Amino acid sequence: MSIIPYIGAEEIAEVVDSLRSGWITTGPKVKRFEEEFAEYIESDVQALAMNSATSGLHLGLEAVGVKAGDEVIIPSYTFTATAEVVRYLGATPVFVDSDPVTLNIDPKAIEAAITIKTKAIIPVHFAGLACDMDAIIAMARKYKLKVVEDAAHAFPTRYKGNLVGTLDTDVTIYSFYANKTMATAEGGMLVSRDPNIIERCKIMRLHGISRDAFDRYSSKRPSWYYEIVEPGFKYNMPDICASIGIHQLKKINIFHKKRTEMAQVYDEAFKSLPLTLPARSLGIVEHAWHLYAIRLNDEVTLSRDDFIMKMSDYNIGCSVHFIPLHLQPVWRDGYALTPEQFPHAEAAYQRIVSIPLYTKMTIDDQLRVISAVNKTLDHA
Ligand SMILES: *Cc1c(COP(=O)(O)O)cnc(C)c1O
């Protein structure tokens, strides 16, 4: 069983339309995708499509003013993209532990890590469960810090009724990588309600050119003329990817409903097993369910690795989110990180397994997973 993106006839037809139109890179489809995405998020945000969430995180941090010598607080319990973008700017990632229940960055750990050099915080909404944003936003105000949300897992997630992307932070970035809740093959979206951030990211997204390529070819100005105002990057999304995104976006509420129902099926099936099921923060968060990550309780004698091996004997592919960054050679050795500094991330890592959850999954697929989990735990 692999993670299959849900691509329908509409996405295929729209890609073909772009291919036939002669305009395959950033153009009218990207513009439409951005407008429709911003409309979905509502409120007064603007959206900028990127070739990845990693690019968006880089540009978001740059736009809020992160520079060489600054410190940016991030969880150890995340994907390496969250940390590497800090380094792209010559700043220092400061790794902190997560809450043992939600596995999201622990606000108390953030506060303990703040120094005179701290410039920003990157909360990561693990698996699609929103972080404790009230605490994070309050702290950002108190210490005058920027908040750049890594919402790679969090489309769509609601926190206290409001979509992630509309909270009182500086900028939010979603991922449309192939295995995320909606996919454009590769891609991401940056949203912000600050017009200065949007303007800066727009320029930096395409070589530091002050107008994007499509405008250049469709406006009255001579088509050969442009100005470079910064040494920018090459992070634009092609229309071929936006073609997929336009139709994925139309289906996102159906996808979300389906993922939520699938999570409920798992919750119900596993409730009397020796497993810690995903935190839900009921009444506070509406979960996006990018991942369904279970933890083996102490009474399970099987190791996490053996659990995954047994599951693969039943033809069920599992994964681990995440191998905490404090264990990855580059971060561990570069910043002298030890497991003792991250007791909760470390404990979660030893026992966590992501079991299959993807939009295209059928109830029969789910029943096969449930049966394999039961059989695997019976061995233990
Ligand atoms: C997937 C992911 C990213 C990066 O997304 P890309 O679109 O592949 O660049 C960043 N952060 C987290 C937590 C992710 O899971």
Side-chain angles (χ1 to χ4, degrees), residues 52-54 57 78-79 81-82 124 150 152-153 175 177 180 187 322:
S52 73
T54 306
L57 287 164
T78 184
F79 183 58
T82 319
V124 181
D150 181 340
H153 299 185
S175 173
Y177 178 67
K180 298 283 161 59
F322 291 101

Side-chain angles (χ1 to χ4, degrees), residues 111 114 135-145:
E111 189 151 30
I114 291 171
I136 291 168
I137 290 164
M139 210 168 321
R141 286 220 188 97
K142 182 171 166 195
Y143 296 98
K144 303 220 175 346
L145 306 176

Side-chain angles (χ1 to χ4, degrees), residues 7-21 23-25 28-33 36 182-185 237-251:
I7 301 294
E10 302 82 359
E11 285 87 337
I12 293 168
E14 198 74 48
V15 169
V16 169
D17 177 71
S18 281
L19 292 172
R20 291 222 162 99
S21 77
W23 197 287
I24 56 176
T25 189
K29 300 275 176 79
V30 165
K31 193 158 188 279
R32 185 173 145 206
F33 183 33
E36 291 177 1
M182 65 168 262
T184 61
M237 175 185 275
D239 265 19
I240 290 175
C241 293
S243 295
I244 305 173
I246 285 166
H247 293 282
Q248 292 272 292
L249 181 64
K250 287 191 202 301
K251 300 172 188 169

Side-chain angles (χ1 to χ4, degrees), residues 263-273 275 277 292 366-367 370 373-374:
Q264 274 157 1
V265 167
Y266 278 151
D267 276 3
E268 189 56 34
F270 299 148
K271 68 180 179 203
S272 36
L273 297 181
L275 299 172
L277 303 183
Y292 191 92
Q366 260 200 301
L367 293 175
I370 291 165
V373 168
N374 274 296

